[in-house]
Amino acid sequence: MDKIPLAIVGCGGMGHRHLYGLAELQNAGLSPFDLVGACDPVRANAESLADDAEERLGKRPQVVESLEELEALGVVAVDVTTTPRYHHTVAEEALERGWHAMVEKPVGLTVRASNRIRQAAERSGRILSVAENYRRDPMNRLGKALLDAGVIGAPRLMIHNTIGGGSHMTISVWRHQKNESGVLLDVGVHFADILEFYLGPVHSVYAQSRLHEPIRYNPAAGPAGQSSSNPAGVYGKWQKQMPAEFEATAEDASYATVLFESGAVAQYIEDHAGHGQGMWTRQIHGSEGSLELPSDRSGQLITLHKDGESICDASLLDLVPDFHLEPVTAALFGGGRLWGYQFPFPETDRKLLAVEYGELGLAIEDGGPIEVDATQGTRSVALSYAMLESSQAGRALTMEEVLAEKVNAYQSEIDQELGLA
Ligand SMILES: NC(=O)c1ccc[n+]([C@@H]2O[C@H](COP(=O)([O-])OP(=O)(O)OC[C@H]3O[C@@H](n4cnc5c(N)ncnc54)[C@H](O)[C@@H]3O)[C@@H](O)[C@H]2O)c1
């Protein structure tokens, strides 16, 4: 069968990382795609991605600056890795042009923008997949299998606590701007997805959110050029061009209580302004035991605490005899029944992005399922904003209120700027 003509739209850090994922899939002999276009209004970024593609895929995609120019290349699917602010305009236009689209998280910059994408996908009948990578981590697959097998009984409480960051810039300036996707959306939306991945639909949220660090510092701009956060090592050249210090307008910490429809509760701390002891904790406590889960994409081990024992080895697999990773994940990570893995971060990163491409390819070619569709992606955006909206409203909010845009005081200025109000 002919390869699916694909374009990457948005050739910054994540665009490059997606390309590495595509190459990972191709090298494993599993790619159904032909990368024909690299699209970015910043031409130098598109050229950089095309150069990398030539090296890694053996073929240079055409460099273009707009979706219009992709028409001539016979594109069938686009991978939208622009900054979140442009997800809805690019995705809507792509769907209207009849293309399938994979869109990086957060699916839209606000709940309204996300709802717009969801509606556009429904109208078009085309595939809309949200590139949510954390849940695809083999360790999260195993954690979920253990939970579903009832190994810890009925889940009662999830603890998700992350603290760190100080006053350093997280990757880029836009991640600290309210109208461009603050860090509580950029990072928090992954954790929102993880909460529902493990424990099902969220019912309501009460949160206090803060902007602790109104000035952020970018050490990469200094003489030492040392980056404070540079996942997969792709961001350095852009970070050197960013200001050494700048004003942050987006909140950087949420402290929340989350109630699931099941009756389970999550205690949630996401603090990107921590100066003291850093923290990573993800635990799920049930009626018969608890699971201690490792940080996403680390490959570290899960620990089961039960009956006075702690199990943190291959015998966890005995508890889930039916557990098998999806075929593409198994092929790339080296086994269908993993209880840990060890790869350098950039390799883990590209394997998970390859898995997303693999799913998209099967969906286009064979009507295979999309795990994180526009509806689920929008729920994660709504859950992240529910924390910010709850803090502003001073009360607990239901997901229904936020999803239906009945409560959007926090987001309204962003929607206005986007022309969506
Ligand atoms: N899943 C993950 O682990 C992960 C990690 C990092 C980023 N992301 C997501 O990927 C997306 C991109 O983030 P990034 O770190 O690459 O940002 P970035 O700033 O490095 O790159 C964004 C690129 O998009 C381009 N762009 C802007 N508007 C465009 C348009 N209309 N058409 C085409 N290109 C356009 C910019 O010129 C830039 O090259 C964001 O949604 C972010 O949340 C996901």
Side-chain angles (χ1 to χ4, degrees):
M1 193 172 170
D2 286 347
K3 297 271 183 191
I4 303 163
L6 171 81
I8 295 180
V9 182
C11 302
M14 206 50 180
H16 283 70
R17 287 162 69 184
H18 276 229
L19 166 67
Y20 305 157
L22 195 59
E24 186 80 7
L25 198 62
Q26 179 169 306
N27 291 340
L30 296 170
S31 175
F33 294 106
D34 175 18
L35 185 69
V36 296
C39 174
D40 199 308
V42 179
R43 200 172 178 91
N45 290 358
E47 295 282 1
S48 165
L49 190 138
D51 289 345
D52 263 7
E54 187 167 18
E55 198 178 306
R56 292 177 188 240
L57 300 175
K59 187 188 151 199
R60 196 171 202 277
Q62 183 90 28
V63 166
V64 302
E65 293 174 22
S66 69
L67 296 189
E68 173 124 52
E69 294 168 81
L70 289 178
E71 283 285 359
L73 305 178
V75 158
V76 166
V78 288
D79 179 14
V80 182
T81 46
T82 68
T83 37
R85 201 177 165 76
Y86 302 99
H87 286 186
H88 64 288
T89 46
V90 171
E92 269 189 72
E93 186 181 335
L95 292 163
E96 276 164 18
R97 289 179 185 275
W99 303 334
H100 305 291
M102 179 158 81
V103 181
E104 253 302 340
K105 46 51 65 176
V107 61
L109 180 56
T110 61
V111 172
R112 185 163 296 174
S114 305
N115 279 332
R116 286 279 293 262
I117 294 176
R118 184 178 50 76
Q119 287 153 3
E122 283 162 10
R123 275 197 310 275
S124 72
R126 294 294 184 269
I127 293 162
L128 190 295
S129 159
V130 181
E132 179 46 70
N133 42 351
Y134 285 23
R135 63 161 65 205
R136 299 176 197 274
D137 183 326
M139 294 302 96
N140 282 327
R141 297 310 212 198
L142 176 59
K144 178 79 164 111
L146 290 163
L147 195 70
D148 288 350
V151 167
I152 61 163
R156 294 173 175 170
L157 170 71
M158 183 162 181
I159 299 173
H160 175 101
N161 290 176
T162 58
I163 303 178
S167 56
H168 282 146
M169 175 176 84
T170 301
I171 306 178
S172 48
V173 175
W174 65 256
R175 286 176 167 86
H176 298 280
Q177 308 304 315
K178 174 178 175 178
N179 61 0
E180 294 192 73
S181 172
V183 74
L184 292 175
L185 179 64
D186 184 62
V187 178
V189 78
H190 285 297
F191 300 147
D193 181 74
I194 283 287
L195 292 186
E196 290 208 329
F197 171 69
Y198 275 108
L199 292 187
V202 165
H203 176 270
S204 50
V205 179
Y206 176 77
Q208 288 288 323
S209 300
R210 297 286 184 272
L211 170 46
H212 289 307
E213 299 290 344
I215 305 293
R216 288 269 165 181
Y217 299 92
N218 167 27
Q226 204 64 20
S227 175
S228 50
S229 62
N230 186 6
V234 294
Y235 291 95
K237 66 179 176 188
W238 292 294
Q239 288 174 337
K240 283 189 184 16
Q241 309 302 318
M242 293 174 196
E245 79 176 68
F246 59 90
E247 189 190 349
T249 58
E251 284 70 4
D252 47 26
S254 272
Y255 312 111
T257 301
V258 178
L259 173 65
F260 293 85
E261 285 178 7
S262 68
V265 174
Q267 186 244 25
Y268 184 93
I269 296 173
E270 183 187 353
D271 189 336
H272 296 277
H275 285 272
Q277 187 179 15
M279 181 186 278
W280 165 273
T281 304
R282 188 182 288 154
Q283 300 175 355
I284 304 177
H285 293 260
S287 55
E288 294 169 27
S290 69
L291 288 173
E292 206 179 326
L293 298 158
S295 56
D296 308 289
R297 303 176 291 182
S298 69
Q300 285 168 13
L301 306 184
I302 295 174
T303 306
L304 168 67
H305 300 273
K306 190 173 175 171
D307 302 329
E309 276 186 75
S310 297
I311 306 174
C312 177
D313 57 29
S315 67
L316 283 175
L317 293 171
D318 299 341
L319 304 168
V320 282
D322 297 332
F323 169 65
H324 288 286
L325 294 166
E326 302 83 350
V328 174
T329 312
L332 295 173
F333 280 82
R337 282 171 59 74
L338 298 183
W339 56 283
Y341 62 84
Q342 279 185 312
F343 299 108
F345 177 79
E347 194 174 341
T348 302
D349 190 47
R350 59 181 189 251
K351 286 182 192 302
L352 291 173
L353 301 172
V355 168
E356 295 172 347
Y357 274 126
E359 182 192 86
L360 179 68
L362 287 174
I364 294 172
E365 286 186 335
D366 303 328
I370 288 295
E371 180 164 331
V372 185
D373 60 9
T375 300
Q376 188 59 44
T378 301
R379 288 189 64 85
S380 304
V381 171
L383 180 48
S384 295
Y385 275 114
M387 297 187 195
L388 292 151
E389 297 285 0
S390 165
S391 189
Q392 182 151 327
R395 66 175 176 92
L397 298 178
T398 63
M399 277 286 277
E400 198 277 327
E401 287 175 293
V402 182
L403 275 167
E405 303 169 29
K406 289 179 195 153
V407 179
N408 70 346
Y410 179 87
Q411 296 163 83
S412 65
E413 75 179 57
I414 314 173
D415 281 331
Q416 263 163 23
E417 263 196 48
L418 293 176
L420 294 177

